Amino acid sequence: MIVIDAHLDLAWNAVSWNRDLRLAVSEIRASEQGMDGPGRGRNTVSFDALRRGEVAVCLATVLARANPKGKGAFLDYRNQEIAYAVAQGQLSYYRICEGLKYLRMITDWPSLHAHVEAWEATQGKNLPLGFILSMEGADPIVFPRQAEDWWQHGLRVVGLAHYGPSAYAVGTGDTGGLTSKGRDLLRVLNSLGMILDATHLSDQSFWEALEIFKGPVLASHNNCRALVPGDRQFSDEQIRELIRRDAVIGAAFDCWMLSPTWVAKKSSPSEVGLRHVVDHIDHVCQLAGNSLHAAIGSDLDGGFGREQSPGDLDTIADLQRLPQLLGERGYRDSDVEAILHGNWLRFFKNAWKG
């Protein structure tokens, strides 16, 4: 069964982490032996693994924060102009991969529909991996009207903030609302037909953004606060509002977002499994009363590796274990198909045709 994964930092891994995604996961791990830092030698994603996992389409990010006080490795830059340049470099990586036929950028519904139909007909044989360009944290948009240039570059999904404050909003781990530039940016995004990603927004920024922005909204990689407390997860009230807006919420695979007992640098991946991912998917479905708003947004290799991924997942190819786990939880084949790819297809069809 094909998968659509709504959040993968492919270019960040390639450009900032210096990973050759053309290699097998095992080869990337071998190349990083002896390196320090989270995730080194323990990655889970490569083009080969994506293909084996039948990940026909993903939302692939550009990611660069403007934060002169930040210390995030390969993430924080002194100003928005530098963040823009870094993000443009990541975009160039995607363009090169397109030219070499590893990837295919998808920017509209006819292209997405045709790509998925071709994958289903051939199981992806001799086809590129499809991706929709997204931006995790809007700092690389230097001023609101510049979003028009990014649209011409193929950008279709924007999240206003990542961790802490951005030029436009406040993200995970901090409190506060939109800036005046953030309100202006939302109006520009709305006029362009851009999709807003509500992931990572602080609670105040979340509610302010959804009040202003009238276009399509998704949550690329977010879990449920009712299961794991903390502002990185959505409250039931937020999930219900997203359901009301016909959003789809991608379940993230980072262990600290999956289990309330996870302790950073102490817990073992063996304590968390893909069953915990299913718990969060099921919670969204129970709130919705159907399976139309839950999906996958793995965030695998999003600054971590196997040391902070479900213990029964070796590579992203193990997404193919989810149909069995969902079936064991009582989900019908049609529900499983919706969660693995159908809900994202419906969402983008409605967003782009509308």
Side-chain angles (χ1 to χ4, degrees):
M1 185 179 295
I2 69 166
V3 175
I4 296 178
D5 187 332
H7 191 84
L8 291 173
D9 299 312
L10 298 181
W12 186 54
N13 271 266
V15 177
S16 295
W17 289 60
N18 197 24
R19 283 175 167 163
D20 186 347
L21 298 181
R22 301 171 302 171
L23 301 177
V25 165
S26 59
E27 294 176 290
I28 297 173
R29 290 175 182 171
S31 73
E32 294 184 352
Q33 288 305 306
M35 289 187 180
D36 294 328
R40 286 300 189 185
R42 292 167 287 191
N43 67 298
T44 64
V45 178
S46 71
F47 294 156
D48 169 69
L50 286 166
R51 193 170 295 281
R52 289 189 291 108
E54 297 186 61
V55 183
V57 181
C58 70
L59 271 65
T61 67
V62 291
L63 171 60
R65 299 191 304 226
N67 183 2
K69 297 181 181 180
K71 298 179 181 179
F74 317 121
L75 269 174
D76 294 312
Y77 302 94
R78 295 294 175 186
N79 57 45
Q80 285 186 265
E81 291 83 354
I82 302 172
Y84 169 84
V86 172
Q88 283 284 309
Q90 293 172 2
L91 174 62
S92 295
Y93 172 77
Y94 290 129
R95 292 298 191 191
I96 291 166
C97 289
E98 274 196 288
L100 296 172
K101 309 300 183 185
Y102 295 119
L103 299 177
R104 172 186 290 155
M105 182 183 282
I106 295 170
T107 60
D108 55 36
W109 169 246
S111 299
L112 177 58
H113 185 235
H115 177 82
V116 169
E117 280 200 330
W119 258 76
E120 289 179 324
T122 66
Q123 296 183 313
K125 186 176 182 180
N126 298 322
L127 292 176
L129 299 158
F131 77 99
I132 298 166
L133 186 64
S134 67
M135 182 179 285
E136 187 172 24
D139 285 335
I141 302 173
V142 181
F143 51 91
R145 296 294 338 166
Q146 196 194 43
E148 298 174 2
D149 295 338
W150 276 104
W151 176 272
Q152 295 302 320
H153 291 315
L155 184 66
R156 292 296 181 266
V157 181
V158 174
L160 296 182
H162 189 222
Y163 282 84
S166 77
Y168 299 106
V170 175
T172 301
D174 210 334
T175 58
L178 304 180
T179 66
S180 59
K181 282 179 63 175
R183 291 178 169 83
D184 290 343
L185 178 61
L186 285 175
R187 296 182 183 100
V188 174
L189 298 181
N190 202 83
S191 69
L192 289 169
M194 200 79 79
I195 296 164
L196 176 66
D197 187 352
T199 303
H200 276 296
L201 288 174
S202 71
D203 287 0
Q204 182 179 341
S205 290
F206 174 94
W207 291 110
E208 290 178 2
L210 265 62
E211 176 67 26
I212 294 170
F213 188 76
K214 302 306 179 185
V217 180
L218 58 76
S220 62
H221 59 304
N222 233 106
N223 292 346
C224 306
R225 198 175 298 178
L227 302 183
V228 179
D231 73 327
R232 178 61 181 86
Q233 285 69 251
F234 283 143
S235 68
D236 285 358
E237 183 183 12
Q238 289 172 308
I239 293 170
R240 289 190 181 99
E241 177 61 18
L242 290 169
I243 291 167
R244 190 188 71 80
R245 292 283 292 263
D246 201 27
V248 174
I249 302 166
F253 286 47
D254 196 332
C255 282
W256 74 277
M257 296 173 58
L258 289 169
S259 171
T261 63
W262 180 266
V263 179
K265 298 182 180 180
K266 293 183 179 181
S267 295
S268 165
S270 63
E271 301 169 30
V272 180
L274 289 169
R275 68 186 186 281
H276 289 88
V277 177
V278 174
D279 288 342
H280 287 268
I281 290 171
D282 182 65
H283 188 76
V284 172
C285 292
Q286 297 303 323
L287 290 176
N290 56 53
S291 62
L292 300 178
H293 300 277
I296 305 301
S298 74
D299 196 21
L300 289 169
D301 291 355
F304 61 97
R306 288 202 68 215
E307 79 285 356
Q308 202 168 300
S309 303
D312 51 353
L313 181 144
D314 181 47
T315 77
I316 197 167
D318 290 320
L319 292 181
Q320 289 299 325
R321 300 191 59 220
L322 288 173
Q324 179 180 343
L325 293 171
L326 287 163
E328 291 171 355
R329 198 69 68 91
Y331 284 83
R332 300 167 299 181
D333 289 348
S334 59
D335 298 317
V336 174
E337 183 176 335
I339 292 164
L340 263 66
H341 66 265
N343 290 336
W344 286 128
L345 286 178
R346 185 193 75 253
F347 175 86
F348 282 102
K349 180 180 180 180
N350 291 339
W352 284 339
K353 294 189 79 172

